[in-house]
Amino acid sequence: MRLEVKNIRKTFGETEVLHGINFTVESGRALGLLGRNGAGKTTTIRILMDVFHANSGEILLDGKRFVPSRHQIGYLPEERGLYPKRTVLDQMIYLACLRGMKSKEAKESALKWLKRLEVDEYAARKLETLSKGNQQKVQLAATLVCNPEIVILDEPFSGLDPVNSQILKDVVSELISENHLVIFSSHQMSYVEEFCDHIAVIDHGQVVMAGELKEIKKEYGKNRLMLAAENYALDKLAEKTEREWGSYVGISGRKKEFLILELKDGVNRRAFMEQLVKSDVEVEKFGGYEPSLNDIFVSKVGEEEV
């Protein structure tokens, strides 16, 4: 399947909150949908699910108009939406039946997913008696109980410890490998990097960056180097760089263990390496710099909390 979101605009009252959203996601490949709080991610997701109607634009599935009611969609919201005073199994069966499953089939699927997520021992307990992490796993089981073709995960790792996070990672990897269409939204960039081949960054209601993550990283890392020295602390190395090599490189940032340098226009890596070799610097780390997704995100939309 290929889902295309094309020039979606949405207005509340007289305020336009989405200004022409465009992105594409395909089966077997996860899309990371990113943005700061209030950027428009949730509104976009609700339009996808037909909770909100767009003022203009279109959503296509395999080239035809996408009608959400004709497809099984599994949505894990950031805010939990289950019933705290109902037992886990009963409400999972209820939700599956609402999505068109027969009672027997719904029970079998619910038990399968509760077992897969290692919360089947709580099937007869009320949701409110479970820990936050186990409630999150039940929420994911409820998302997947109808065997959805399209899976939308909004902050799925919220409240999970490392062991439970690994269980969820395995499930997400399975969904992708089984050719489900997955849209993944999280403020934890390491998870997005782990699962997503493509990203779309929304800022103030418009997509400001979209494409293959590998290529975006390559472009952002172009002409950037990392440098650390055994005989210079970073502050001293930065001073030396600015004083002696300012015509070759500029300092564009620093990490805990190394400086991030950017080659000046017309300077290639070999020319700078020759200067390093001539100096008294005992190189500990040197090479091309690949920015993290968090670095790219901050450079694109600013340093406000995502």
Side-chain angles (χ1 to χ4, degrees):
M1 293 188 297
R2 177 182 175 89
L3 184 73
E4 298 174 85
V5 174
K6 303 181 74 173
N7 201 31
I8 292 295
R9 294 179 178 272
K10 177 62 180 173
T11 300
F12 292 110
E14 296 183 357
T15 304
E16 187 176 75
V17 296
L18 299 182
H19 315 299
I21 298 294
N22 294 278
F23 61 80
T24 300
V25 56
E26 298 181 359
S27 297
R29 307 188 80 180
L31 172 79
L33 188 63
L34 308 176
R36 295 188 302 214
N37 293 325
K41 303 188 304 297
T42 300
T43 300
T44 301
I45 288 170
R46 288 176 178 171
I47 290 172
L48 266 173
M49 297 178 63
D50 207 26
V51 176
F52 292 160
H53 296 293
N55 293 88
S56 63
E58 60 181 349
I59 301 174
L60 305 176
L61 185 66
D62 294 333
K64 299 178 181 179
R65 186 172 70 89
F66 176 55
V67 182
S69 61
R70 297 177 184 171
H71 302 273
Q72 287 288 8
I73 302 174
Y75 174 44
L76 177 71
E78 182 175 2
E79 299 296 330
R80 292 180 181 85
L82 299 182
Y83 302 102
K85 297 188 180 298
R86 293 281 299 274
T87 63
V88 168
L89 182 58
D90 283 349
Q91 63 182 301
M92 284 190 63
I93 294 172
Y94 170 70
L95 292 170
C97 289
L98 283 180
R99 299 181 198 175
M101 297 181 82
K102 301 296 185 183
S103 181
K104 181 181 178 181
E105 181 188 14
K107 184 175 181 179
E108 290 174 353
S109 182
L111 290 172
K112 179 191 81 171
W113 279 110
L114 290 174
K115 183 175 182 180
R116 177 65 185 85
L117 289 162
E118 300 184 5
V119 283
D120 51 316
E121 64 184 288
Y122 307 118
R125 286 176 52 177
K126 292 182 179 180
L127 185 71
E128 64 183 359
T129 66
L130 275 58
S131 68
K132 183 178 179 181
N134 283 330
Q135 288 187 33
Q136 181 72 352
K137 290 200 288 183
V138 170
Q139 181 95 27
L140 180 62
T143 300
L144 302 175
V145 70
C146 63
N147 301 315
E149 306 162 79
I150 300 169
V151 181
I152 303 172
L153 305 174
D154 194 354
E155 295 296 346
F157 293 93
S158 175
L160 297 182
D161 60 37
V163 173
N164 284 323
S165 291
Q166 186 59 54
I167 294 171
L168 181 50
K169 280 196 225 178
D170 293 341
V171 169
V172 174
S173 295
E174 288 168 13
L175 291 171
I176 295 169
S177 66
E178 291 169 0
N179 268 343
H180 292 264
L181 193 153
V182 179
I183 297 175
F184 187 96
S185 180
S186 178
H187 293 162
Q188 296 169 282
M189 298 294 173
S190 60
Y191 289 128
V192 179
E193 288 191 90
E194 186 167 351
F195 296 117
C196 299
D197 296 306
H198 288 74
I199 62 169
V201 179
I202 299 177
D203 190 38
H204 295 97
Q206 57 187 346
V207 175
V208 295
M209 177 193 299
E212 188 174 351
L213 182 54
K214 181 179 178 181
E215 292 302 314
I216 290 172
K217 281 190 168 191
K218 183 178 179 181
E219 180 62 29
Y220 268 75
K222 189 176 181 180
N223 293 327
R224 291 187 178 180
L225 306 168
M226 56 181 178
L227 176 64
E230 294 181 359
N231 57 334
Y232 279 90
L234 284 187
D235 287 341
K236 295 297 183 182
L237 184 61
E239 291 175 6
K240 183 178 182 67
T241 299
E242 291 175 342
R243 183 176 63 251
E244 298 185 16
W245 305 319
S247 60
Y248 293 88
V249 294
I251 299 173
S252 63
R254 67 170 64 191
K255 296 294 185 181
K256 185 177 180 180
E257 300 173 349
F258 56 85
L259 297 177
I260 303 170
L261 309 178
E262 186 164 359
L263 293 169
K264 295 289 181 72
D265 289 343
V267 177
N268 59 42
R269 186 186 300 190
R270 180 181 295 275
F272 177 58
M273 288 175 61
E274 289 174 354
Q275 298 303 309
L276 273 179
V277 171
K278 294 175 185 177
S279 73
D280 64 340
V281 171
E282 297 175 12
V283 175
E284 179 182 6
K285 183 177 293 185
F286 177 77
Y289 173 65
E290 180 180 282
S292 67
L293 179 54
N294 190 71
D295 293 335
I296 295 169
F297 184 92
V298 169
S299 72
K300 195 67 181 178
V301 304
E303 297 185 0
E304 296 178 36
E305 179 186 355
V306 300

